[in-house]
Amino acid sequence: RAKESPFVRAGDLLGAETQYRQVLAGDPNEPHAHAGLAEILLIRGELDASRREAELAIRARPRRADYHALAGRIAERRGLALDAAAHYQRAAQLDPSDAASRRAAQRLGATTSRPAPPSPATHANPYESPEERPAPRRSGGQNAAPIVVPNVDLPSPDLGF
């Protein structure tokens, strides 16, 4: 879990939010501030904004297990069980001692044989890796249906020769 703000520990969510936003004004890529702000927004029920902040934290530090666990909690609150399971599974892969994320992934149906999505920093679509893409279909082969072209006189194009 990311280090909490003293404001959060004191129960002052407004103070913590102000602190995180000030940090982000100075450094818009500060992952801890994005994660902290995501936590506050999650507590307040602002799920879309919370998700955006968690994604920014993950983009900046894709190997932080606690950021993936946070994204899992957000996805779960949004009712996106598969996304939540994938994030929890990724958190458990990054931090094998994270029993809570491992249990959450199992509870939501993730299996160790199903890979977690790559981080947004390394792939444009976080839920599809190049290995998971289906191979392009190729025409031809023994069972291919023949292509039938009607016998029609088509005008020749004027190529200007």
Side-chain angles (χ1 to χ4, degrees):
R1 197 174 186 104
K3 180 182 164 195
E4 283 187 335
S5 159
F7 292 103
V8 172
R9 282 193 300 274
D12 181 4
L13 296 182
L14 184 57
E17 179 181 4
T18 301
Q19 178 189 34
Y20 289 132
R21 290 193 187 279
Q22 286 173 347
V23 169
L24 290 170
D27 182 0
N29 298 314
E30 199 339 280
H32 175 68
H34 283 296
L37 187 53
E39 287 271 9
I40 291 167
L41 295 168
L42 176 61
I43 291 167
R44 289 203 322 231
E46 296 179 35
L47 302 180
D48 288 338
S50 180
R51 177 193 51 83
R52 282 190 299 275
E53 294 300 325
E55 285 177 357
L56 291 169
I58 290 171
R59 270 198 194 105
R61 294 276 160 66
R63 299 196 51 81
R64 284 287 301 259
D66 53 336
Y67 295 169
H68 284 280
L70 170 61
R73 291 193 310 276
I74 294 165
E76 193 169 2
R77 284 271 307 274
R78 295 177 76 220
L80 303 172
L82 291 176
D83 290 349
H87 280 293
Y88 287 137
Q89 183 176 7
R90 183 70 176 142
Q93 288 171 345
L94 292 170
D95 180 4
S97 69
D98 185 354
S101 288
R102 189 172 44 259
R103 283 190 306 271
Q106 290 170 346
R107 176 176 46 81
L108 293 171
T111 64
T112 55
S113 63
R114 190 176 105 208
S119 73
T122 60
H123 194 273
N125 182 345
Y127 301 103
E128 174 186 7
S129 69
E131 296 82 30
E132 293 172 338
R133 287 190 200 127
R137 291 185 154 205
R138 298 208 176 6
S139 61
Q142 289 179 334
N143 297 327
I147 298 174
V148 178
V149 179
N151 188 8
V152 179
D153 288 331
L154 298 174
S156 307
D158 182 9
L159 301 177
F161 294 114

